[in-house]
Amino acid sequence: MNPSHRAALRHGFLRLWHTLRQMARLIVGIPDYDTYVAHLRRHHPDRTPLSYEAFFAERQVARYGKGRSRCC
């Protein structure tokens, strides 16, 4: 296998790994901080990204809401 094929194979494997990791996080509801920061830098360069802790807390509230649930 020549070096260019090996590099292309490695690049394809890394893209597949990133996609599978992101998909698994979305399935279990874990927010992807790296994707958030990349999006913010690309599309909203004037905004300052939240810290990881603030981002995670904001995603928790968005997913589960504030306070006690109405169940039981």
Side-chain angles (χ1 to χ4, degrees):
M1 181 182 299
N2 71 32
S4 65
H5 284 137
R6 189 175 292 172
L9 188 61
R10 184 174 190 274
H11 178 72
F13 176 75
L14 290 176
R15 282 190 62 194
L16 177 63
W17 173 251
H18 177 76
T19 301
L20 291 174
R21 190 179 81 181
Q22 187 176 19
M23 187 169 49
R25 286 181 169 188
L26 289 173
I27 289 171
V28 298
I30 298 173
D32 190 352
Y33 182 71
D34 294 337
T35 301
Y36 158 73
V37 171
H39 171 83
L40 213 61
R41 287 187 177 148
R42 190 174 329 117
H43 298 288
H44 311 282
D46 54 321
R47 294 189 195 168
T48 303
L50 298 173
S51 67
Y52 180 80
E53 292 78 15
F55 172 77
F56 192 79
E58 191 271 339
R59 292 288 81 210
Q60 290 279 322
V61 169
R63 183 177 174 100
Y64 299 111
K66 283 187 172 181
R68 187 174 178 193
S69 71
R70 298 181 68 177
C71 178
C72 306

